Amino acid sequence: MTIAVNVSPLQFRRSDFVEVVERILTETDFDANQLELELTESTLLGNLETAELSMLRLKAIGVRFALDDFGTGYSSLLYLRRFPFDKLKIDSSFVRSIERAADAAAIVHAVVSLGRGLGMKVTAEGVETAEQQLFLRAAGVHSMQGFRFGRPCAAADISLRVAKPDSFRIADDESDLALAG
């Protein structure tokens, strides 16, 4: 199981950010290979060299990185080449529009193709309907998140879902679809 953590630009720009992450991993005995840090494009602005070095240091111990909300910020393709991202996350604004806007559907297809071509996993955010889920699966998205798969809930409910994932399935007209992926 992977735990994804959103990192704010202020957090990431701290001079001791890498050390803080390393200390927390050590103190909690958490496997760095199970940690995914989600960064937005704006997080990288300012000092590209420092951002790159921080990411490479954390990547060396096993931490993974996701480029969050892809397509809504500066969307520089330079970021995809320069920084060691493992995953692209398609912003929910594109997902919401795929059923009614051909341009949004085309952008989703392009982002999936780009991510796969660069060896990255692609996640779609904001999936709310069976139709969106089917479209995204057909487009080649690796994983999905959104209200289609669950609403915010208490920690105990999450533990139950992890312990018994088969008891939390989503019925669909065509088949019984798993929660994510």
Side-chain angles (χ1 to χ4, degrees), residues 165-177:
D166 287 339
S167 64
F168 291 92
R169 299 183 70 80
I170 299 166
D172 184 273
D173 288 344
E174 295 184 23
S175 65
D176 194 33
L177 300 170

Side-chain angles (χ1 to χ4, degrees), residues 51-64:
E52 183 178 25
L53 288 174
S54 295
M55 290 177 73
L56 290 171
R57 281 181 57 196
L58 290 169
K59 190 108 171 120
I61 64 170
V63 175
R64 290 183 268 170

Side-chain angles (χ1 to χ4, degrees), residues 27-104:
E27 288 174 1
T28 60
D29 197 29
F30 191 79
D31 183 356
N33 293 300
Q34 293 180 285
L35 177 62
E36 181 178 88
L37 298 179
E38 296 185 1
L39 308 174
T40 60
E41 294 158 298
S42 63
T43 302
L44 305 173
L45 293 177
N47 191 345
L48 298 179
E49 289 75 26
T50 301
E52 183 178 25
L53 288 174
S54 295
M55 290 177 73
L56 290 171
R57 281 181 57 196
L58 290 169
K59 190 108 171 120
I61 64 170
V63 175
R64 290 183 268 170
F65 289 93
L67 183 54
D68 198 13
D69 300 333
F70 185 73
T72 61
Y74 300 94
S75 298
S76 172
L77 298 180
L78 168 68
Y79 295 151
L80 299 180
R81 290 189 61 216
R82 181 169 185 172
F83 297 103
F85 286 105
D86 302 284
K87 180 187 286 183
L88 280 179
K89 295 186 75 179
I90 301 170
D91 187 71
S92 61
S93 62
F94 296 110
V95 173
R96 273 193 306 273
S97 303
I98 57 175
E99 296 170 291
R100 64 183 186 285
D103 59 346

